[in-house]
Amino acid sequence: MPHITIQMYPGRNDETKKRLAQAVLETASKELKREKEHFSVSVVDVPQEEWKGKVYDKVLADKNTIIQPGYKM
């Protein structure tokens, strides 16, 4: 049962977040050959001033991160 978390700066409305979550769900379902019912998706707003500590540093340190950020902080 995969759970997918999307972290991003605040500022998008709920409809945009729902469309994004649905698009990610569609792709994951197709690529993993599993029914959509097997997935959950959350969207978490992380303020810009908290991004480095809460997201960026953890992503760089995580050996499971497949695609590293293309930006520096």
Side-chain angles (χ1 to χ4, degrees), residues 37-67:
E37 297 82 34
H38 294 272
F39 296 86
S40 56
V41 180
S42 61
V43 178
V44 179
D45 287 334
V46 179
Q48 184 174 357
E49 61 274 8
E50 298 175 16
W51 187 262
K52 185 175 183 325
K54 285 189 172 180
V55 179
Y56 185 81
D57 291 341
K58 291 178 182 180
V59 165
L60 289 181
D62 185 351
K63 65 179 169 99
N64 294 310
T65 299
I66 295 171
I67 299 173

Side-chain angles (χ1 to χ4, degrees), residues 6-31:
I6 301 166
Q7 297 173 302
M8 62 185 180
Y9 287 171
R12 281 88 173 183
N13 62 36
D14 288 343
E15 189 56 39
T16 299
K17 291 176 186 178
K18 286 178 188 176
R19 283 193 315 269
L20 174 60
Q22 188 64 40
V24 169
L25 170 65
E26 298 285 339
T27 299
S29 173
K30 178 183 171 189
E31 291 298 322

